Each structure stands twice: as C-alpha cells, then as structure tokens.
Amino acid sequence: MVVWSAGLLLYRLSPEPQAFIAHMGGPFWAKKDAAAWSIPKGEYDPDTEGALDAARREFREELGVEPPEVEWAELGTFTYSSGKKVVVFTGDGAGFTASGFVFGEFEMEWPPRSGARASFPEVDRAEWMSLDAAREALVKGQRPAIDALAAALEALPG
C-alpha cells in the first residue's frame, strides 16, 4: 500500500529565490544538518482528504502557525526510494513572516530500549534558504521538488 504525504513549499524571489523549509526534530536529527531538513508535510489518506487540505493541515500542525493565504499551485508528486509519494504545493510566501512558531510534538521511546517515553518537536527550526542551500539541506527524496520549483520560477514572466 502506498503511503501518501502532502506539503507546502513556500518561495520568495527577493533578495534571491529562496525556499522555506524546516529542520526535523527529535534525537536522531539533533546533530545533523545536511540532508536533515524537510518541506513542512505529513501523511494523509487520499480517500478521505484532499492533498492541499492535508498540506495546509500539516503546515499548521508542524509549525503552529497558519499557512499564508496565497494561491497554491501543485508542483508535483515526488516518489521516495521507499515508494512513499509526496504531493508538493508551492506558493509565493513573500509576505510570510517566519516567526512565532509553536512546533508540534511527537512521542517516542527514548533512550532506545529503555521503556521510557519522551516528547520531541516534529521540527525544531524553520527558515528561508537559497534554492541551492535548500537542495543540500533537504532529505534526498525531497530534492527533486527544489529542482521543480527552480524550473517553475524560471518560467515566470518578467
């Protein structure tokens, strides 16, 4: 069975083309930076929820702020090597203030095999990055979304 996720990839054009991405939280990612970032996204069931609705919900759950009210365009569906499919929507986030986050949390056994449970943020920071920096920062399966975004931005008039 295919696992589906949906996410929002904001961009802004000034001072240079940039993407808004988030560093994954929790102990596994704490000391990693390269390939440890993600588009704000999460799983959904396409039989019960639309991809854009899921992407907006996940943005809100992960970052604790409402996604901006912009025109969203479907950037594409990207398939991880695991088979997971991620539907990515993009929108002009020039007016989005990247602050005031209240990161959603998840619980897991920590330390491993201890029987103890601990709570961690789903993401621990989020920021604007140049497209080149974002490509390097994102987990491998999401890098094609940056390439698709770059191509879409190049096609903009002006």
Side-chain angles (χ1 to χ4, degrees):
M1 184 171 146
V2 174
V3 175
W4 287 88
S5 279
L8 301 179
L9 180 58
L10 289 171
Y11 69 86
R12 66 182 181 188
L13 299 175
S14 181
E16 63 179 320
Q18 295 181 321
F20 181 74
I21 61 175
H23 185 268
M24 292 184 278
F28 179 77
W29 303 103
K31 295 183 181 180
K32 294 177 171 65
D33 196 56
W37 292 70
S38 178
I39 296 165
K41 61 148 191 63
E43 292 183 7
Y44 77 104
D45 180 349
D47 292 334
T48 61
E49 185 177 26
L52 182 55
D53 290 338
R56 291 176 53 82
R57 173 182 50 78
E58 286 293 334
F59 189 96
R60 189 170 33 260
E61 287 178 7
E62 288 193 357
L63 301 176
V65 297
E66 290 294 323
E69 290 295 328
V70 300
E71 185 175 326
W72 296 103
E74 188 170 330
L75 191 59
T77 300
F78 305 92
T79 305
Y80 286 14
S81 59
S82 66
K84 181 179 193 171
K85 295 187 181 289
V86 181
V87 182
V88 177
F89 296 89
T90 190
D92 185 347
F96 177 70
T97 303
S99 64
F101 302 123
V102 180
F103 301 122
E105 294 190 345
F106 69 97
E107 191 175 281
M108 64 181 278
E109 182 180 17
W110 190 259
R113 297 176 295 285
S114 68
R117 303 216 37 99
S119 186
F120 300 96
E122 289 188 64
V123 298
D124 54 25
R125 62 190 185 276
E127 60 190 63
W128 291 102
M129 289 187 189
S130 72
L131 299 187
D132 287 340
R135 187 179 292 106
E136 294 301 313
L138 285 172
V139 293
K140 186 178 178 182
Q142 294 178 21
R143 291 176 183 170
I146 293 294
D147 297 331
L149 175 61
L153 294 178
E154 286 177 15
L156 289 176

